[in-house]
Amino acid sequence: MRGDLVRKLLARALATGLAVLAFLVVALTGATGWGLGLAVGALAAAAWERRVRPGADNAAETALVAAAILVGYARRLDAGFDPALAATALVLLGLVLLVNPLRDAGGLEVRAANLPVRSWTPLVAARLGDALAGLLALLALAAVANLPAGVALAAVLLVAAGAGAVGLDLARRRFRPGAGGSAVSRALRRHQPEFLLHFSAPPGSEYQVTMWLPYLERIGRPFLVMVREPEFLPLIAAATSAPVVYCPTTRAMDEALVPSLRVAFYVNHGAKNSHCIRFTQLTHVQLHHGDSDKAPSANPVSAIFDRIFVAGQAAIDRYARAGVDIPAEKFVVVGRPQVESIEVRPEPAHGRANPTVLYTPTWTGHNADANYCSLPVAETLLRRLLDRGATVILRAHPYTSQNPASARQLGRLTELLAADRARSGRQHVFGAAASRELTLTECVNRSDALISDVSGVISDYLYSGKPYAVTDMVGSGDRFCEQFPLAGSGYVLRRDMSNADEVLTALLDTDPLASARWVTRSRYLGDFPAETYAEAFLTAARRQLDEGWIPPAPRTAGGPGLPVDPDEATLSPAT
């Protein structure tokens, strides 16, 4: 997270600094060429800022750059007052003032993927800032080339016409909406989805959805994915054929939540979940995106859901242990369907030569009390593994790069493994090869043992029956297994790695806890047949769709949301 802040501050400083410098150089010196070059650099910095800060307001910087380019243009032409250049300046000023309001207005519109609709206006509105930056860069080049001011005016008028069309269409959508709602709403009514997956999270969290998409598709009912941040729309749409809808506001949600919907699933405790839970005609089901003994896994917010799907009895006990009082009837044990492809090794493998060890450090968390990350001490651990002839698969948490210190620590580990691979020939796996080219399941299946921080990876690995070690980064000592019971069937590494040799011997050679893991496995992951393991979730999900559901009254012009077509208001749910 600190890494994001540093990038945002740097982008802001560059965009503002270069814009001011470009204007000063052009206005106060005779170095017009240098000033125009600095203006183009300011535009590039502003483009970078929009990438790291999607909602950045660059109006002031853009105005300075535009002024610098126009002054430079006038000096290059050296023709006194030029009406065409004056008109260019007026139109350009209007564009600078209107781009951000139009972008913000377009950002309030529903957008969709995997639906037979084309919402061009919001997409164009989102790109107006880039179009203006491109226009200014073009004007700078025209100034350098001494092109007539009429060329600049024509280019500015062309962009202004596009912006005007966007503005008119956005106004029409807002003040004179169609009788049947938006095109997205009408397409969803035709699709007749029976459930939705609501998702809101920080950037880089799409894995929370993609891990569930195959199983939502296997339910065999039409559904949609509703995302609340625009960057997730293309990422999730590429992973499913189901409609994916971006709803930036609660008004937009009113359009997307069509009458055929019965159930809403959730994969985290994002604050925006409350926007969807207010729709009482739906049954709200929390799925989570992993099962672990981390404190957030017993979040009291879970109580607001109608049902909480959990992997096993251990998850229910975790809430009770944390003092979170949730009625027992809300819990449904469904296993962890994502582990169905993990290969099970029923017999312990003692003294395996040249073992392959999967190491999965977690991230630092949002708060200090949820920081279980072992990266600060991982170099010692990896060197001990290499001394034992182990091949290492290093798969870090997706959020690791958001913390500069963690990113540097991870970089040192990859350098260590790369150097050993070149020296010993052992095929260590790290970087993109471990995090993108291989799935977690493939990493589990390739390994003989796991070393992990407190995280959901341990629960998934437990299904394999293979041994694992857990790092005690909170320094709880003897109380660690009380706080994190899953560690009781593994081997606990102290924070200072003082017992690393002892733990690695147990993990890779003697494995005295082999039988205890099978008892823990049933408690954490349910006791379902391996050949039909995922059916527990599919059956429970279908039951929520079928049991006791009464179709809600259709929304009308007098009710919440947009008006609807009379023909569409009486559509019955798909069966």
Side-chain angles (χ1 to χ4, degrees):
M1 302 301 175
R2 289 192 292 271
D4 281 346
L5 178 60
V6 170
R7 284 191 293 272
K8 290 174 181 178
L9 289 174
L10 180 59
R12 186 63 170 171
L14 275 175
T16 303
L18 288 174
V20 171
L21 187 59
F23 179 76
L24 291 177
V25 168
V26 171
L28 303 180
T29 75
T32 303
W34 283 102
L36 292 173
L38 288 169
V40 173
L43 293 173
W48 180 43
E49 184 181 10
R50 285 194 296 275
R51 193 161 61 249
V52 299
R53 294 179 60 226
D57 185 349
N58 298 116
E61 292 88 345
T62 305
L64 279 173
V65 170
I69 291 173
L70 289 170
V71 171
Y73 208 145
R75 284 188 176 177
R76 297 282 294 182
L77 291 176
D78 194 23
F81 178 77
D82 189 321
L85 195 59
T88 298
L90 288 174
V91 177
L92 195 57
L93 176 62
L95 281 173
V96 170
L97 295 176
L98 287 175
V99 159
N100 282 339
L102 288 176
R103 180 198 64 187
D104 293 342
L108 299 178
E109 296 293 320
V110 177
R111 300 201 325 247
N114 300 341
L115 274 177
V117 295
R118 293 291 180 269
S119 301
W120 66 268
T121 300
L123 294 175
V124 175
R127 294 288 180 267
L128 281 177
D130 296 332
L132 179 58
L135 173 64
L136 289 171
L138 182 64
L139 293 182
L141 292 175
V144 170
N146 285 328
L147 296 180
V151 174
L153 180 59
V156 169
L157 289 175
L158 182 63
V159 175
V166 169
L168 289 174
D169 193 53
L170 288 173
R172 179 194 62 77
R173 289 165 178 255
R174 182 61 53 89
F175 300 112
R176 297 186 62 185
S182 68
V184 172
S185 178
R186 294 193 297 272
L188 287 174
R189 290 174 188 275
R190 291 190 294 270
H191 180 65
Q192 289 283 285
E194 294 187 32
F195 66 91
L196 67 94
L197 176 67
H198 179 274
F199 182 61
S200 173
S205 305
E206 60 275 3
Y207 70 94
Q208 298 178 5
V209 172
T210 55
M211 70 169 61
W212 280 107
L213 286 175
Y215 302 96
L216 298 180
E217 291 166 354
R218 282 166 60 178
I219 292 173
R221 310 289 182 86
F223 72 99
L224 69 94
V225 180
M226 178 184 292
V227 299
R228 307 301 307 284
E229 288 79 28
E231 59 267 23
F232 292 123
L233 180 61
L235 296 175
I236 295 175
T240 182
S241 59
V244 183
V245 182
Y246 164 55
C247 294
T249 65
T250 53
R251 175 182 174 273
M253 294 177 67
D254 288 337
E255 293 187 46
L257 289 168
V258 294
S260 59
L261 288 166
R262 312 178 190 185
V263 176
F265 291 108
Y266 306 80
V267 295
N268 59 28
H269 288 103
K272 291 183 181 178
N273 286 348
S274 62
H275 298 174
C276 193
I277 289 175
R278 70 191 176 94
F279 291 90
T280 56
Q281 74 269 26
L282 302 175
T283 300
H284 302 277
V285 180
Q286 176 61 255
L287 299 178
H288 298 106
H289 56 273
D291 180 86
S292 77
D293 286 329
K294 285 184 176 182
S297 294
N299 194 323
V301 173
S302 297
I304 67 177
F305 298 97
D306 299 309
R307 296 286 184 272
I308 307 167
F309 282 14
V310 293
Q313 181 62 38
I316 302 174
D317 297 340
R318 188 182 300 129
Y319 282 97
R321 191 169 60 251
V324 180
D325 185 17
I326 297 178
E329 59 269 18
K330 285 197 172 189
F331 291 104
V332 183
V333 175
V334 299
R336 171 88 171 134
Q338 289 81 2
V339 305
E340 66 173 346
S341 298
I342 289 178
E343 298 169 0
V344 178
R345 183 183 294 172
E347 298 297 329
H350 298 300
R352 181 180 292 270
N354 305 118
T356 297
V357 178
L358 172 61
Y359 173 47
T360 58
T362 191
W363 67 303
T364 54
H366 289 294
N367 306 300
D369 60 354
N371 183 359
Y372 309 111
C373 179
S374 64
L375 282 171
V377 298
E379 187 170 345
T380 299
L381 174 62
L382 260 60
R383 289 189 183 279
R384 301 288 178 86
L385 285 170
L386 296 179
D387 290 343
R388 289 174 175 261
T391 298
V392 177
I393 302 174
L394 172 58
R395 182 184 172 95
H397 192 282
Y399 289 176
T400 299
S401 61
Q402 297 180 4
N403 183 308
S406 294
R408 288 192 297 270
Q409 291 154 2
L410 181 61
R412 286 195 293 270
L413 297 184
T414 58
E415 290 172 3
L416 174 63
L417 294 177
D420 185 80
R421 182 169 63 182
R423 182 175 55 253
S424 68
R426 288 194 292 265
Q427 295 303 302
H428 306 298
V429 185
F430 48 84
S435 60
R436 297 190 186 96
E437 296 174 17
L438 295 179
T439 66
L440 177 60
T441 295
E442 289 170 329
C443 290
V444 171
N445 290 341
R446 287 191 181 195
S447 65
D448 300 304
L450 168 73
I451 298 176
S452 180
D453 305 334
V454 175
S455 75
V457 175
I458 303 174
S459 295
D460 289 359
Y461 202 87
L462 181 63
Y463 188 78
S464 72
K466 294 181 287 192
Y468 58 87
V470 188
T471 62
D472 174 11
M473 295 307 295
V474 295
S476 298
D478 294 338
R479 296 186 59 248
F480 184 72
C481 292
E482 295 177 16
Q483 296 175 309
F484 308 101
L486 188 53
S489 297
Y491 307 101
V492 180
L493 280 159
R494 299 190 190 113
R495 182 167 54 184
D496 60 4
M497 294 292 148
S498 59
N499 66 336
D501 289 330
E502 171 190 337
V503 166
L504 292 180
T505 296
L507 179 72
L508 303 175
D509 189 4
T510 58
D511 194 15
L513 296 175
S515 59
R517 282 196 299 276
W518 294 103
V519 177
T520 304
R521 181 180 185 266
S522 295
R523 201 162 67 85
Y524 271 80
L525 298 172
D527 196 12
F528 305 109
E531 59 273 13
T532 58
Y533 186 84
E535 286 299 320
F537 165 74
L538 300 175
T539 299
R542 291 170 184 141
R543 186 178 298 122
Q544 300 304 316
L545 288 166
D546 294 335
E547 284 188 355
W549 184 75
I550 300 174
R555 296 188 181 97
T556 63
L562 293 177
V564 298
D565 286 331
D567 292 338
E568 292 180 324
T570 57
L571 289 173
S572 60
T575 56

